[in-house]
Amino acid sequence: MSHQTVIVLDFGGQYNQLIARRVRECGVYCEIKPYTTALAELKAMEPIGIIFTGGPNSVYLDKAPRVDQEIFTWGIPILGICYGCQLIAHALGGQVTEAQDESAREYGKTRTYFDTSCKLFRGLPAEGVTWMSHGDYMEEVPEGFALMARSDACPNVAIADEGRGFYGVQYHPEVNHTENGVAMIRNFLYEVCGAVGDWFMEDYKRSAILAIREKVGDGRVLLALSGGVDSSVMAALLAESIGGQLTCVFVDHGLMRLNEGDEVEEAFAPWDINFVRVNAERRFLDKLAGVSEPERKRKIIGEEFIRVFEEESKKVGRVDFLAQGTIYPDVIESGAGDAAVIKSHHNVGGLPDTVDFKGLIEPLRLLFKDEVRQLGRELGLPEYLVSRQPFPGPGLAIRIIGEVTKEKADLLRLADFIFRDELARAGEDKRLNQSFAVLTDTRSVGVMGDGRTYDYALALRAVTTSDFMTANWARIPYELLDRISTRIINEVQGINRVCYDITSKPPATIEWE
Ligand code: XMP
């Protein structure tokens, strides 16, 4: 795969993935590398440009992350963002200090004035809002650098040595709050680095197919298909590459949404692959009988899934490669973070370790989620699969509070379908990042016709979020909620009350369990 590469050198900033996504959105391939990466490795990537990210440190402290000065002698353009900007200033002889004056510390939206003769700001308005988040201040800029933007509080918001192609901005161009931020990144790529824009999905698809064929040869590949976006796109990509050498095992644990199993099967009908659908509803429900503790449910489903998958893979016969749906954020994040475990988030599809394979194949390893979706479209997968919301591996089991039974699962499936159907009819589904129904363990008294009912209370949950780490409850119009509630009560026997969850995350989580 030959395309131009930009390196995003990671100094620990919170928006680093966003920087990389922006670069790729601009049609340029990039990879995030930790700042500790050996220079030789970075050089071997033959980058056309390097971006130093933000980070939580102060450059003037002894232990601050640094980069070898040699990088400045390569003749490759560098853009420093926030900490990255201060690092350039510090490394090339400028002076960075802690802002003494409150007003020089800038956080949040800041009115900024740009010198539009600078390549970074070419063709953009001379004034706009930028998103700042820095407590340090460039007191002196290095020799050869000119000031290219200022704010009311700070004279040096952006610096540049255009002769050498070095640029630094104190603000975060990658976040949406910065007006024209992406256009500035684009300018860096195209005006400064000489990017040609050779990163697009059609091209990636072609080269990924060739790479898979080369790696697999005449070997056989096994894939656990869950029906989620990643495994579906991976299945389509492998199907397109090696056709009949691929076996997809789709374990239907009986806790899918309405019609989901059939939809997945249908989506793969056009390809000539070995598609194994295992209807294991009874098996999973038996294991879950009497269990109401959420983490226990997750564990049971995760383990049972592996067991079923192992059994099926033995039936397949010889298997050389196991396909895994690792995507780029997993690659970046693996090993990082020691946050408290709130939920175990078992991903159904965990690897069995008792099956023998020659190797793993991870065809989505370099892609961000939106790129995975794009690739899926490129491969001709139906939109409902490609733009699907995340659905937890344990499925409806963690949306049925308390014990899971077939009766409850059927009730929930139908109510959940009506909710999503009405959202789609109203065109609301596009702006929601996750929306689903939860069957509570509470029964309440109602009156229908002239009779008393004593049935389940259902909760509806819809959120907007950009990263699923935090989320806002969605403001759905009352009229629509009214329609949904009426339909559910009329069409789902066994539910006599509908509630709407108005809690954001935090303090709640998105799922109820
Ligand atoms: P929470 O509930 O933690 O959910 O706010 C954040 C995101 O993770 C999904 N989720 C899961 N996904 N297995 C999964 O594969 C799980 O056990 C699981 N639990 C939560 C949830 O749907 C949301 O997108």
Side-chain angles (χ1 to χ4, degrees):
M1 273 174 242
S2 88
H3 36 61
Q4 295 179 323
T5 299
V6 163
I7 294 173
V8 176
L9 204 59
D10 183 356
F11 290 94
Q14 53 178 328
Y15 303 123
N16 296 353
Q17 281 198 34
L18 198 52
I19 298 174
R21 275 170 54 192
R22 295 287 183 245
V23 171
R24 292 200 189 174
E25 275 165 34
C26 291
V28 179
Y29 179 71
C30 68
E31 281 188 38
I32 300 181
K33 291 283 172 189
Y35 75 93
T36 47
T37 310
L39 276 196
E41 188 185 327
L42 299 180
K43 201 167 191 178
M45 292 168 71
E46 300 180 13
I48 59 162
I50 301 171
I51 298 179
F52 292 174
T53 75
N57 297 278
S58 292
V59 280
Y60 45 80
L61 297 179
D62 281 347
K63 288 203 174 115
R66 298 270 158 71
V67 60
D68 195 311
Q69 292 279 2
E70 192 202 308
I71 208 164
F72 295 104
T73 65
W74 289 354
I76 295 171
I78 299 176
L79 168 65
I81 294 176
C82 198
Y83 179 82
C85 170
Q86 292 158 9
L87 187 70
I88 293 176
H90 182 82
L92 297 180
Q95 180 109 28
V96 179
T97 54
E98 188 179 358
Q100 300 298 333
D101 182 356
E102 273 297 312
S103 62
R105 254 176 248 158
E106 295 179 297
Y107 295 98
K109 292 182 181 172
T110 310
R111 183 138 291 280
T112 307
Y113 311 91
F114 305 98
D115 179 343
T116 54
S117 70
C118 173
K119 282 186 185 162
L120 213 52
F121 309 122
R122 192 172 277 175
L124 303 176
E127 202 181 317
V129 169
T130 62
W131 178 260
M132 299 276 191
S133 177
H134 65 99
D136 287 336
Y137 172 77
M138 277 186 294
E139 202 163 84
E140 262 174 57
V141 300
E143 214 180 295
F145 279 75
L147 303 181
M148 294 301 187
R150 64 180 173 82
S151 67
D152 292 325
C154 180
N156 42 18
V157 166
I159 56 169
D161 177 340
E162 299 217 83
R164 288 194 284 174
F166 297 156
Y167 295 78
V169 293
Q170 288 276 24
Y171 57 88
H172 288 273
E174 69 278 17
V175 305
N176 279 332
H177 302 299
T178 296
E179 288 171 1
N180 300 305
V182 178
M184 294 168 193
I185 293 174
R186 182 184 298 276
N187 275 349
F188 175 68
L189 299 169
Y190 286 83
E191 302 283 331
V192 180
C193 302
V196 294
D198 57 2
W199 174 249
F200 38 88
M201 265 313 135
E202 196 193 336
D203 209 30
Y204 177 78
K205 182 187 90 177
R206 266 197 304 269
S207 38
I209 289 174
L210 292 179
I212 290 170
R213 284 185 187 148
E214 192 175 324
K215 174 159 186 181
V216 173
D218 60 1
R220 303 194 59 86
V221 179
L222 181 68
L223 167 90
L225 182 65
S226 70
V229 178
D230 299 346
S231 72
S232 298
V233 173
M234 194 164 56
L237 180 62
L238 287 165
E240 199 67 32
S241 312
I242 52 165
Q245 291 159 256
L246 172 69
T247 300
C248 290
V249 175
F250 171 46
V251 178
D252 185 345
H253 53 25
L255 298 156
M256 304 269 174
R257 288 162 291 191
L258 195 71
N259 302 332
E260 198 168 6
D262 295 340
E263 283 172 5
V264 172
E265 190 166 351
E266 220 168 87
F268 289 94
W271 280 286
D272 182 24
I273 54 173
N274 309 306
F275 189 97
V276 182
R277 178 171 174 179
V278 193
N279 291 315
E281 181 186 43
R282 201 55 273 155
R283 205 170 152 164
F284 278 84
L285 287 176
D286 285 349
K287 283 271 178 254
L288 287 167
V291 177
S292 52
E293 208 279 308
E295 286 301 284
R296 191 81 208 106
K297 290 185 194 171
R298 282 191 168 84
K299 198 156 188 296
I300 289 172
I301 294 174
E303 283 173 4
E304 195 59 15
F305 181 90
I306 291 178
R307 218 156 288 145
V308 175
F309 186 69
E310 268 173 1
E311 286 171 22
E312 291 304 319
S313 49
K314 283 193 185 116
K315 289 185 205 157
V316 171
R318 191 193 100 206
V319 169
D320 303 294
F321 295 93
L322 186 69
Q324 229 196 341
T326 318
I327 67 171
Y328 199 46
D330 309 326
V331 176
I332 304 166
E333 279 161 14
S334 64
D338 31 35
V341 176
I342 309 290
K343 302 179 188 184
S344 55
H345 284 211
H346 270 300
N347 225 338
V348 167
L351 275 186
D353 47 17
T354 55
V355 186
D356 252 354
F357 303 108
K358 205 162 34 176
L360 281 179
I361 178 157
E362 301 178 304
L364 308 179
R365 211 183 145 76
L366 295 177
L367 303 184
F368 283 111
K369 192 82 179 185
D370 21 0
E371 294 176 315
V372 174
R373 294 188 205 275
Q374 236 173 299
L375 177 61
R377 290 188 187 102
E378 206 57 60
L379 287 158
L381 280 177
E383 190 58 32
Y384 66 80
L385 265 191
V386 169
S387 57
R388 184 163 265 192
Q389 295 177 352
F391 183 64
L396 300 184
I398 56 162
R399 293 179 179 173
I400 294 170
I401 311 304
E403 190 187 357
V404 180
T405 63
K406 167 119 176 89
E407 294 66 35
K408 284 183 179 176
D410 287 341
L411 274 190
L412 178 57
R413 236 187 302 268
L414 191 52
D416 178 72
F417 173 78
I418 294 170
F419 182 35
R420 290 183 297 116
D421 184 47
E422 286 295 331
L423 289 174
R425 282 169 199 259
E428 284 279 311
D429 56 334
K430 303 274 182 304
R431 80 179 177 91
L432 303 175
N433 301 101
Q434 221 169 349
S435 44
F436 53 88
V438 176
L439 190 68
T440 74
D441 209 15
T442 296
R443 283 167 185 248
S444 75
V445 175
V447 53
M448 271 178 118
D450 289 327
R452 175 188 193 268
T453 57
Y454 186 58
D455 287 332
Y456 284 110
L458 183 88
L460 304 177
R461 179 81 164 136
V463 297
T464 55
T465 172
S466 53
D467 55 7
F468 297 88
M469 307 291 283
T470 61
N472 289 319
W473 63 273
R475 274 56 172 176
I476 294 177
Y478 283 167
E479 298 70 33
L480 177 57
L481 283 172
D482 185 41
R483 245 188 341 268
I484 293 163
S485 160
T486 307
R487 254 192 85 183
I488 290 175
I489 302 293
N490 285 339
E491 295 177 34
V492 190
Q493 225 181 9
I495 292 175
N496 69 351
R497 196 175 289 267
V498 176
C499 309
Y500 187 56
D501 183 347
I502 53 165
T503 334
S504 289
K505 172 184 179 176
T509 52
I510 296 175
E511 303 286 347
W512 274 38
E513 287 198 334

